[in-house]
Amino acid sequence: SRQSDSFRDWLARSVIFADTLVDRIVSAPIEPIGAVAEPYALWAIRTGGFGEPIRHPAVRMVDHLAPFERLKLHILNLGHTVLADVWMKERRPADETVRTVLGDAAVSKTLAAIYEEEVVPGFTLYEMGDEAQDYVAATWERFRNPSSNIGWPTFIRTTTSSSDAAWPTFWSGCGVANRASPRHA
């Protein structure tokens, strides 16, 4: 239609869509609006047709987001996944935080071994070993930050406290069959 064409023309001329990545752990909401967040912050914005939207130490204008995505996914998110897996398998307390579980020397040793023996060497193969080592060090600091109360992913906390029936649906969506709630596994 004519309206759709004019809208598309306006959109192409007037609107810029920035490709971005945010890396910051948020541990609790502040009502009515806001959140408790860790001191670490990164807002990577892929350059292209616009200037820096704001000046802030956490804002980085970059040519490629992929290195930042890889570090976040394969170090920070992997760490949370490993810790959540330990939490579920060991049926640890529902209110336990990331910092608390890392107080368990065996858990810290397991995660450190994964980072040191698997993750950093993988990044080294792609000439990102130094960046990976720095990001692992920052991730340990972030996980152990005493001012943030970083808990488990919402899907774990919510489903274990509200509805065991949701677990088979959640796991089937992940391609895993017949996985019970961690309270009843």
Side-chain angles (χ1 to χ4, degrees), residues 141-162:
E141 287 180 29
R142 296 167 73 183
F143 283 169
R144 291 183 170 132
N145 179 357
S147 66
S148 62
N149 194 19
I150 304 164
W152 299 109
T154 303
F155 71 83
I156 292 175
R157 188 174 279 162
T158 301
T159 52
T160 58
S161 64
S162 64

Side-chain angles (χ1 to χ4, degrees), residues 18-31:
D19 193 7
T20 70
L21 176 133
V22 173
D23 184 359
R24 191 164 204 191
I25 299 171
V26 176
S27 59
I30 298 173
E31 299 300 336

Side-chain angles (χ1 to χ4, degrees), residues 37-48:
E38 65 175 326
Y40 179 94
L42 170 68
W43 183 16
I45 305 169
R46 189 172 56 85
T47 56

Side-chain angles (χ1 to χ4, degrees), residues 39-184:
Y40 179 94
L42 170 68
W43 183 16
I45 305 169
R46 189 172 56 85
T47 56
F50 55 88
E52 191 172 11
I54 62 170
R55 293 206 184 277
H56 189 278
V59 174
R60 295 197 43 199
M61 300 299 291
V62 300
D63 291 329
H64 305 283
L65 292 176
F68 299 96
E69 292 170 343
R70 288 184 190 112
L71 290 167
K72 182 176 187 269
L73 290 173
H74 299 292
I75 296 173
L76 179 74
N77 292 17
L78 171 70
H80 273 131
T81 302
V82 167
L83 296 174
D85 185 59
V86 167
W87 176 81
M88 287 174 48
K89 285 179 179 173
E90 294 181 3
R91 294 185 176 96
R92 297 176 79 100
D95 61 348
E96 187 173 48
T97 65
V98 170
R99 185 177 65 252
T100 305
V101 75
L102 285 173
D104 181 327
V107 174
S108 287
K109 184 177 178 180
T110 297
L111 184 56
I114 291 169
Y115 285 152
E116 292 167 18
E117 297 168 15
E118 299 179 40
V119 176
V120 172
F123 276 98
T124 301
L125 289 174
Y126 291 92
E127 300 178 4
M128 288 185 64
D130 291 341
E131 294 90 339
Q133 287 178 338
D134 292 345
Y135 195 80
V136 165
T139 298
W140 281 115
E141 287 180 29
R142 296 167 73 183
F143 283 169
R144 291 183 170 132
N145 179 357
S147 66
S148 62
N149 194 19
I150 304 164
W152 299 109
T154 303
F155 71 83
I156 292 175
R157 188 174 279 162
T158 301
T159 52
T160 58
S161 64
S162 64
S163 174
D164 290 337
W167 274 94
T169 302
F170 169 78
W171 286 111
S172 67
C174 296
V176 178
N178 302 321
R179 181 75 182 246
S181 163
R183 291 189 296 175
H184 305 290

